[in-house]
Amino acid sequence: MSPPSATTTEVYTNGTAKPSATAPHEPGLSETQAKVQMPRFPGPPKFQDKYEERDYLKGRLAAAFRIFGKYGYDEGVAGHITMRDPVDPTTFWVNPFGVAFSMMRRSDLIQVDHSGKIIDGGEVRLLNAAAYMIHAAVHSARPDVLCAAHSHSIYGRSFCALGRPLDIITQDSCAFHNDHVLYTAFNGIVLAEKEGHDIAACLGSKKAALLQNHGLLTVGETIEAAVFWFISLEKCCHAQLMADAAAGGRGGETKKIGDEEAAYTHKTIGTPLAGWFSAKPEFDKMYKAEGEDFLQ
């Protein structure tokens, strides 16, 4: 989602004017100077009935799995996306272990309580223990998080093998400026409660974590935001892997975006609402392509 630019006019002391290609989101440029403004984003739907909200969100969660399946983020049975239940916020909904992302339906999802017990859901009532350990800790530590997503996507896990945070080298990566962390421990499959809490503690108030030797983790105040942050972070990892290789091959390095410019851009493309709105086309396409199947 690229912020628009505008042409402003600079006036010299002799009264003449010359055009300037200054962007309206550039640091130091006031709103009155900008000729084009970003529109106000629409927002997610609001519900009075929590059960109605649950039904809607479960449909969005099923769509999220279909989107991950489309992008090939599944590998075997690895990967999980969770949604905090609006009726009982101490529980969350997650994919049943062994059901393909690309075949996920609303009725397949399972509801898990704070102790890891499956209390409701579809016919396949198998819980990925790693999913519970990571996501239960994140949901507990972050009341603002509705959704958390993790999978072993190819570029994300490749970049995570480098053991370094993301460089801010593209406009899209500005969404993660001072808003992602590197979790440096790897102790195998996350089956211990302590490691889940360690990951949540490392994540802190950020929207994303690079789990070293493992993969990406993103969170959001909406399902859509968590999904978009994951897709975008995966692409940022891909872009940096290619840019670093190209720069290294020429004996140089990539050009980094300055902190001030990155922070200013983050205010436009890195907000929770921007994440929700950026995901809208993906969900619209999924509804068009899949029809009502995933809502069953």
Side-chain angles (χ1 to χ4, degrees):
M1 181 180 60
S2 303
S5 61
T7 299
T8 63
T9 300
E10 294 177 353
V11 180
Y12 288 103
T13 54
N14 62 5
T16 62
K18 83 167 189 177
S20 170
T22 305
H25 303 288
E26 183 176 335
L29 187 63
S30 70
E31 289 187 7
T32 57
Q33 290 174 294
K35 301 300 183 184
V36 178
Q37 297 295 321
M38 286 293 285
R40 291 188 179 275
F41 295 120
K46 304 292 185 182
F47 294 88
Q48 296 296 323
D49 186 324
K50 291 298 183 182
Y51 288 93
E52 190 176 312
E53 182 179 6
R54 171 197 277 173
D55 195 53
Y56 171 80
L57 290 176
K58 286 175 64 181
R60 300 300 271 184
L61 184 57
F65 283 110
R66 298 280 181 118
I67 291 168
F68 268 38
K70 181 189 75 172
Y71 279 107
Y73 293 162
D74 51 345
E75 177 149 344
V77 296
H80 18 87
I81 311 174
T82 54
M83 174 202 88
R84 188 189 301 275
D85 182 58
V87 177
D88 181 0
T90 66
T91 69
F92 59 83
W93 294 84
V94 66
N95 49 308
F97 204 24
V99 176
F101 284 3
S102 59
M103 297 175 62
M104 198 66 63
R105 297 177 302 170
R106 178 164 51 191
S107 58
D108 292 323
L109 301 170
I110 56 176
Q111 186 180 14
V112 181
D113 70 9
H114 62 89
S115 67
K117 180 182 178 182
I118 299 172
I119 58 176
D120 198 2
E123 293 182 4
V124 180
R125 297 205 172 187
L126 296 176
L127 174 64
N128 183 331
Y132 169 73
M133 292 301 176
I134 296 172
H135 292 252
V138 169
H139 283 292
S140 176
R142 292 281 300 275
D144 61 308
V145 166
L146 174 75
C147 179
H150 166 68
S151 85
H152 300 172
S153 53
I154 187 65
Y155 298 109
R157 70 187 183 197
S158 298
F159 188 82
C160 287
L162 301 178
R164 56 179 292 189
L166 194 70
D167 288 335
I168 307 304
I169 58 173
T170 65
Q171 176 174 291
D172 303 289
S173 66
C174 290
F176 301 98
H177 174 67
N178 289 336
D179 210 359
H180 76 288
V181 299
L182 173 66
Y183 179 73
T184 58
F186 178 75
N187 298 302
I189 298 173
V190 182
L191 299 178
E193 186 176 6
K194 180 182 182 301
E195 185 156 15
H197 287 295
D198 288 346
I199 291 172
C202 181
L203 177 65
S205 62
K206 311 301 186 185
K207 67 160 63 87
L210 306 175
L211 308 181
Q212 186 171 293
N213 306 113
H214 191 171
L216 309 180
L217 171 68
T218 60
V219 300
E221 295 180 10
T222 61
I223 294 169
E224 293 85 355
V227 167
F228 181 75
W229 300 140
F230 193 99
I231 294 171
S232 184
L233 185 56
E234 169 74 0
K235 291 181 177 180
C236 287
C237 289
H238 190 182
Q240 185 169 337
L241 288 168
M242 292 194 297
D244 281 347
R250 296 169 62 89
E253 60 180 36
T254 57
K255 300 296 184 183
K256 312 303 188 290
I257 296 174
D259 284 343
E260 184 181 10
E261 292 79 10
Y264 205 85
T265 306
H266 180 279
K267 291 179 182 179
T268 300
I269 67 171
T271 66
L273 191 55
W276 175 85
F277 189 65
S278 296
K280 183 179 180 298
E282 288 290 346
F283 280 80
D284 289 347
K285 288 187 292 184
M286 185 53 58
Y287 275 72
K288 180 72 172 179
E290 300 287 338
E292 298 291 315
D293 183 64
F294 66 90
L295 294 175
Q296 301 302 313

